[in-house]
Amino acid sequence: MLTKKQIQLLEFIQRRMLRDGVPPSFDEMKDALDLRSKSGIHRLVTALEERGFIRRLPHRARALEVLRLPDALAHLTEAEAPSDQASGGFTPRVISNTRPPRPRGALTVVDSPAVQLPLMGRIAAGVPIEAISEISHHVAVPGTMLAGREHHYALEVTGDSMIEAGINDGDVVVIREQDTAENGDIIVALIDDQEATLKRYRRRGSMIALEAANPAYETRMLPENRVRIQGRLVGLIRSY
């Protein structure tokens, strides 16, 4: 039988997995459960692992896998992902291309039905680069990856600042075009109408925090009038 805190943590991890596709950090777990230190989270994670509810994956940053849920959380299945997505969360759909190497930009997704999306160029998952505006070519993505009827586009990622969110250098991200975001969303941010970057969004009063998912990069704090949201991450294409 799980304790109340263990159930709360397992629920938080599962909801974040459904929303973001990656588990929360230990700091996020600590804040969510209102604990004073991460040592309490480590004890809860260990207890859940010993009871067979989660598994820690070796050699990967903050990698946890939910193996099963207690009856109290049985409703938290992947079937809920679309509703979470509609409320503003990120439910990544990763499409892997494991065919023989192709020239850069020649990604092909074979799931059907497919939708052709414009690939607008490169987006920095690191220090910001110049704003993207030109279509270089199109990529095919499964229609099921797209969120609603809003316009979508694709960008190629450069840099490693979002690696702990499962976004690697060279990945192609699928972006739903929108100008609003909720805290925790991964967005395309346009800074001073000149620089574009892919970061996690947090609003802190009149300031916007653009958070990396790599401890090597600092959070960038900017006045809200310097940041324009260009879209929210809804999917990812990876070529091997």
Side-chain angles (χ1 to χ4, degrees):
M1 183 175 179
L2 298 181
T3 66
K4 181 179 179 180
K5 284 293 187 183
Q6 289 168 355
I7 291 176
Q8 288 176 345
L9 179 59
L10 188 57
E11 179 178 8
F12 180 64
I13 293 172
Q14 177 69 355
R15 288 188 182 277
R16 283 294 298 271
M17 289 291 291
L18 290 176
R19 194 193 78 177
D20 293 351
V22 293
S25 68
F26 275 51
D27 283 323
E28 290 170 328
M29 296 181 202
K30 175 178 69 69
D31 293 342
L33 270 66
D34 197 25
L35 298 180
R36 293 184 178 181
S37 70
K38 288 190 287 187
S39 61
I41 293 297
H42 281 282
R43 287 193 293 271
L44 291 172
V45 167
T46 298
L48 289 172
E49 186 175 30
E50 290 175 348
R51 288 162 174 78
F53 288 95
I54 64 175
R55 178 175 64 183
R56 277 184 266 210
L57 304 177
H59 311 302
R60 291 175 56 186
R62 73 173 192 182
L64 297 174
E65 180 182 10
V66 177
L67 300 177
R68 63 188 181 96
L69 296 172
D71 292 342
L73 302 180
H75 61 288
L76 293 179
T77 64
E78 291 190 23
E80 288 197 348
S83 60
D84 287 345
Q85 187 181 71
S87 66
F90 166 43
T91 306
R93 303 289 300 280
V94 180
I95 304 300
S96 298
N97 178 10
T98 57
R99 293 181 174 185
R102 301 169 62 91
R104 178 174 293 275
L107 293 176
T108 301
V109 180
V110 297
D111 300 59
S112 181
V115 177
Q116 295 288 329
L117 291 185
L119 194 142
M120 305 296 291
R122 296 183 177 182
I123 183 75
V127 294
I129 58 176
E130 292 184 0
I132 310 297
S133 62
E134 295 184 0
I135 298 174
S136 60
H137 61 279
H138 287 73
V139 294
V141 304
T144 54
M145 180 181 283
L146 307 185
R149 298 183 178 180
E150 285 76 5
H151 181 257
H152 292 71
Y153 58 94
L155 293 166
E156 183 181 352
V157 174
T158 63
D160 62 356
S161 76
M162 299 302 291
I163 194 167
E164 289 192 5
I167 303 169
N168 300 331
D169 181 60
D171 286 346
V172 172
V173 290
V174 178
I175 305 297
R176 174 180 176 176
E177 189 172 322
Q178 58 187 69
D179 58 9
T180 60
E182 296 185 5
N183 284 339
D185 285 349
I186 297 177
I187 65 163
V188 174
L190 185 63
I191 302 171
D192 296 330
D193 290 326
Q194 295 181 342
E195 300 172 326
T197 188
L198 186 73
K199 292 292 183 290
R200 195 176 295 279
Y201 169 91
R202 307 276 184 195
R203 174 175 285 277
R204 299 177 182 172
S206 62
M207 302 291 287
I208 301 298
L210 299 178
E211 296 179 353
N214 182 334
Y217 295 83
E218 295 183 354
T219 295
R220 190 170 182 183
M221 297 292 298
L222 295 165
E224 59 183 344
N225 63 354
R226 293 183 58 192
V227 179
R228 287 201 296 130
I229 298 168
Q230 302 292 285
R232 175 172 62 86
L233 179 62
V234 296
L236 183 148
I237 303 169
R238 178 164 297 153
S239 182
Y240 295 96

